[in-house]
Amino acid sequence: MAQRLADSAAVSVFCDSVALMLSVGIQTDEAVYMLAEDMGDTSFGKTCRQMYRSLIAGKNLAQSMKDTGAFPRYTTDMVAVGEQSGHLEDVLRSLSVYYNEESRLFTKIESSIGYPTALFCIMSVILLFAVIVILPVFIGVYERLSGSLTAGSFNEVSVAIGIGWIALIVTLVCTALFLVARAMMRSPKGRQSLLKFLERL
């Protein structure tokens, strides 16, 4: 059964570990088996065990990785090239560096999104309270003090209420966008989609 797409950090660790074991003469299937044992009953450990079954059945590493559905297509394609050219170890090390850098980039993006998300959530609550609760109370108090609002004062208060609602709507939209971005960062596919969107910007 195919596993969920692995994140960049897991792919980096996998590629680096297999490359290291290949460099000391350990065969590919044994390397994957050792990784599976080391990771235990985790999601990626199950992925490694699935790869090991494919490897001992006669499939190469690229096809075994592809069958799990846990690796990006770019990874499996590059591993296939490495196997065909006889430079699998070098390809795996390059992939490890690439996905390690990608993982660090995603961590920076996530931390950059976290603060404004919290800020916009707080602003939304404050503006919602101000527009729905404070402004009507202010108008009621003003009417009791002056008997009724003059035309000029009423227009000014109406403009203030309009500005308040506009600010609230803009803040709510921004909050929703940041919450969506925050949710996308929780999955590898979401991270890739968000990264492509940011690159277009």
Side-chain angles (χ1 to χ4, degrees), residues 26-44:
I26 299 175
Q27 294 182 354
T28 306
D29 56 342
E30 293 177 354
V32 173
Y33 175 77
M34 292 172 65
L35 276 176
E37 290 296 305
D38 186 54
M39 294 181 182
D41 199 33
T42 62
S43 175
F44 204 74

Side-chain angles (χ1 to χ4, degrees), residues 77-100:
D77 289 346
M78 289 301 295
V79 169
V81 171
E83 288 181 310
Q84 293 171 6
S85 63
H87 295 87
L88 178 59
E89 182 184 333
D90 294 334
V91 169
L92 287 172
R93 291 191 184 280
S94 297
L95 287 171
S96 175
V97 173
Y98 171 79
Y99 283 105
N100 182 56

Side-chain angles (χ1 to χ4, degrees), residues 12 16 21 27 34 45 91 107 116-117 125-126 129-130 142 156:
S12 176
D16 185 58
M21 284 187 272
Q27 294 182 354
M34 292 172 65
V91 169
T107 300
T117 300
V125 173
I126 294 173
F129 181 77
Y142 193 67
E156 291 175 1

